[in-house]
Amino acid sequence: GSLTLDARLAERRRRYRIGEAVGLLLRVNRDAQVAILNIDAADRVTVLRPNRFAPSTHLSGNRWHQFPAPGATFILRVAAPIGRNELRILASASILFPPLLLRQGEDGFDRFDGGKRALDQFMATQMGQGSSWLAERQIRFRVVA
């Protein structure tokens, strides 16, 4: 069968203030690699998972996982700009972002060069390879002052 991915905000909210912490709950139906990207209102794409503090993308199947994990050494905090924010969660047999497209952020989180358009092109290429082994979820929320 194909890969399925469930993802939701732990807080089940639609609006967050700058500086508030965000958590995710994730579940895949089989062992998979899972990446999480954030697209902010300024079209900046940040790779939240993997990151310098949590370099693994592996998730074991058929159970809920928290991200960040309990006891993690980092917190995901909502950052400016205010406006529409989209989390994109990707699961596959192997999550590989071409290092050429990534720039290291001072905060420990890489940026995906070229914004949402470059990410969409990259994803279309991956999908074009016909993998039923790729699942994607999008979660949108508003960042408010």
Side-chain angles (χ1 to χ4, degrees):
S2 58
L3 176 67
T4 59
L5 165 67
D6 291 314
R8 60 181 162 87
L9 292 167
E11 300 83 13
R12 292 186 176 272
R13 290 166 51 194
R14 287 281 158 238
R15 299 167 79 85
Y16 287 84
R17 292 182 183 284
I18 292 169
E20 284 188 304
V22 177
L24 283 163
L25 293 170
L26 308 164
R27 184 174 62 185
V28 283
N29 65 335
R30 60 166 88 165
D31 289 9
Q33 305 303 316
V34 176
I36 303 169
L37 299 121
N38 187 76
I39 304 164
D40 70 18
D43 195 44
R44 187 177 47 185
V45 178
T46 301
V47 181
L48 301 179
R49 176 199 173 109
N51 66 58
R52 190 183 349 147
F53 315 104
S56 171
T57 55
H58 181 266
L59 272 195
S60 49
N62 290 316
R63 66 185 191 82
W64 286 98
H65 299 265
Q66 258 179 273
F67 182 79
T73 57
F74 65 100
I75 295 171
L76 292 183
R77 288 204 188 279
V78 175
I82 60 172
R84 203 177 100 153
N85 199 85
E86 180 182 303
L87 289 166
R88 209 174 272 191
I89 301 99
L90 311 170
S92 76
S94 61
I95 293 276
L96 291 172
F97 293 123
L100 288 175
L101 295 175
L102 295 179
R103 248 178 322 110
Q104 229 178 353
E106 326 70 68
D107 56 2
F109 298 95
D110 290 337
R111 305 287 179 270
F112 200 92
D113 262 338
K116 187 173 183 290
R117 176 176 293 154
L119 176 62
D120 288 341
Q121 283 172 343
F122 171 74
M123 289 305 300
T125 308
Q126 298 298 101
M127 295 286 212
Q129 291 164 5
S131 170
S132 63
W133 246 108
L134 186 67
E136 181 180 11
R137 285 281 167 274
Q138 295 174 9
I139 299 173
R140 294 187 177 94
F141 62 88
R142 291 202 72 75
V143 177
V144 296

